[in-house]
Amino acid sequence: MADPHQLFDDTSSTQSRGYGAQRAPGGLGYSAASATPQAAFLADPVSNMAMAYGSSLAAQGKELVDKNIDRFIPVTKLKYYFAVDTMYVGRKLGLLFFPYLHQDWEVQYQQDTPVAPRFDVNAPDLYIPAMAFITYVLVAGLALGTQDRFSPDLLGLQASSALAWLTLEVVAILLSLYLVTVNTDLTTIDLVAFLGYKYVGMIGGVLMGLLFGKIGYYLVLGWCCVAIFVFMIRTLRLKILAEAAAEGVPVRGARNQLRMYLTMAVAAAQPLLMYWLTFHLVR
């Protein structure tokens, strides 16, 4: 019987019983049918087969891409040229600025394979040339900015000019080696590495020019030009002239003289390009 003084009926107990009855079938208050599409999809054998087939296609595609990339871009060889550490970079920079103090220029080998650059300061690398080229472009932009001549087009022209000269150098040296019939283990990547070391001296010359004017520029650039000339002579003679000695070519033979002239020409071109690519950046 209801209380005659109660204004509203108490329906909380009946609602609780009804809510409990509604939750019972789902267990957590959700209908059991809400998760059935995903479960049905995963349990479907056709879906599992499609997933397995897609995974196999992805694996085959990755393998195909890796093979083609390695065919046109020798990724494995490039890893060798970037196998450097902080100690190697410091020793290499010291060698580039002071090659007169270095005695042993032979590249070390282990089972007919040259050791990684971090274990041999004479080994060529691409880390220093790549970082030096990027730094050279940034320093060139800084120099142009201090003279109120900076523009993106001019900076792009500076970078593209440096790359064009580097490409022209590599092509000319490869063609010369072919014409002189030099059998050497000097690869195209080795040439890019050796020719890219001149950017280090170019950076030093431009920075000193910004700090101390023309006098600082010519002093530092002159030192770096002589240093890179000595470095290239002592490095390339082991790659070009040593192969001639191994082949039994007479020291005063005509072919050996051509190889010597080629080595001198490559070394002499580095100071000229260092000056050509930097003289207009210092005023």
Side-chain angles (χ1 to χ4, degrees):
M1 297 294 295
D3 188 358
H5 300 285
Q6 186 175 354
L7 297 178
F8 303 99
D9 293 336
D10 185 7
T11 59
S12 59
S13 59
T14 58
Q15 290 179 353
S16 299
R17 288 192 300 270
Y19 178 73
Q22 292 177 357
R23 289 186 56 186
L28 292 176
Y30 301 98
S31 61
S34 61
T36 53
Q38 293 82 359
F41 177 78
L42 295 176
D44 189 1
V46 178
S47 301
N48 294 334
M49 185 181 301
M51 293 177 63
Y53 182 69
S55 301
S56 63
L57 282 180
Q60 293 177 3
K62 182 178 181 299
E63 183 179 359
L64 183 62
V65 170
D66 293 340
K67 288 182 178 179
N68 290 331
I69 288 180
D70 193 64
R71 180 186 303 174
F72 298 103
I73 303 176
V75 179
T76 305
K77 293 182 179 180
L78 288 178
K79 289 181 180 179
Y80 165 82
Y81 291 94
F82 285 94
V84 301
D85 55 10
T86 305
M87 183 175 296
Y88 168 83
V89 173
R91 293 174 59 194
K92 194 72 171 189
L93 292 177
L95 180 60
L96 293 175
F97 285 108
F98 304 98
Y100 327 101
L101 306 177
H102 195 60
Q103 300 297 328
D104 185 14
W105 293 84
E106 291 284 348
V107 178
Q108 301 178 12
Y109 284 81
Q110 184 177 8
Q111 297 179 354
D112 298 333
T113 303
V115 299
R118 62 174 175 267
F119 301 119
D120 184 14
V121 71
N122 296 322
D125 72 283
L126 287 178
Y127 176 79
I128 293 178
M131 294 297 103
F133 176 79
I134 297 174
T135 307
Y136 160 71
V137 175
L138 296 177
V139 171
L142 176 63
L144 294 173
T146 56
Q147 303 166 15
D148 295 331
R149 296 190 296 140
F150 177 81
S151 68
D153 295 337
L154 190 58
L155 186 62
L157 180 62
Q158 191 74 23
S160 60
S161 299
L163 280 179
W165 279 110
L166 180 62
T167 304
L168 184 62
E169 281 186 280
V170 173
V171 173
I173 295 174
L174 291 177
L175 181 61
S176 301
L177 291 175
Y178 174 76
L179 295 177
V180 184
T181 63
V182 177
N183 295 323
T184 177
D185 59 350
L186 193 64
T187 64
T188 304
I189 303 179
D190 291 339
L191 286 176
V192 173
F194 289 133
L195 298 175
Y197 287 135
K198 64 174 170 287
Y199 296 119
V200 177
M202 293 163 59
I203 294 169
V206 174
L207 287 178
M208 290 301 103
L210 293 177
L211 294 176
F212 303 105
K214 284 285 188 179
I215 297 178
Y217 166 75
Y218 283 115
L219 287 177
V220 175
L221 187 69
W223 175 274
C224 294
C225 287
V226 176
I228 196 66
F229 178 81
V230 175
F231 173 83
M232 295 295 288
I233 287 289
R234 294 185 177 181
T235 301
L236 293 181
R237 69 182 177 87
L238 296 177
K239 295 288 187 179
I240 299 177
L241 298 180
E243 292 293 334
E247 295 172 2
V249 179
V251 177
R252 297 185 181 276
R255 288 178 57 190
N256 200 28
Q257 291 293 329
L258 289 177
R259 300 180 188 199
M260 188 179 302
Y261 293 150
L262 175 60
T263 304
M264 296 288 293
V266 174
Q270 305 310 301
L272 296 177
L273 288 174
M274 291 172 65
Y275 175 76
W276 177 258
L277 293 173
T278 56
F279 79 96
H280 59 282
L281 296 176
V282 180
R283 292 185 176 180

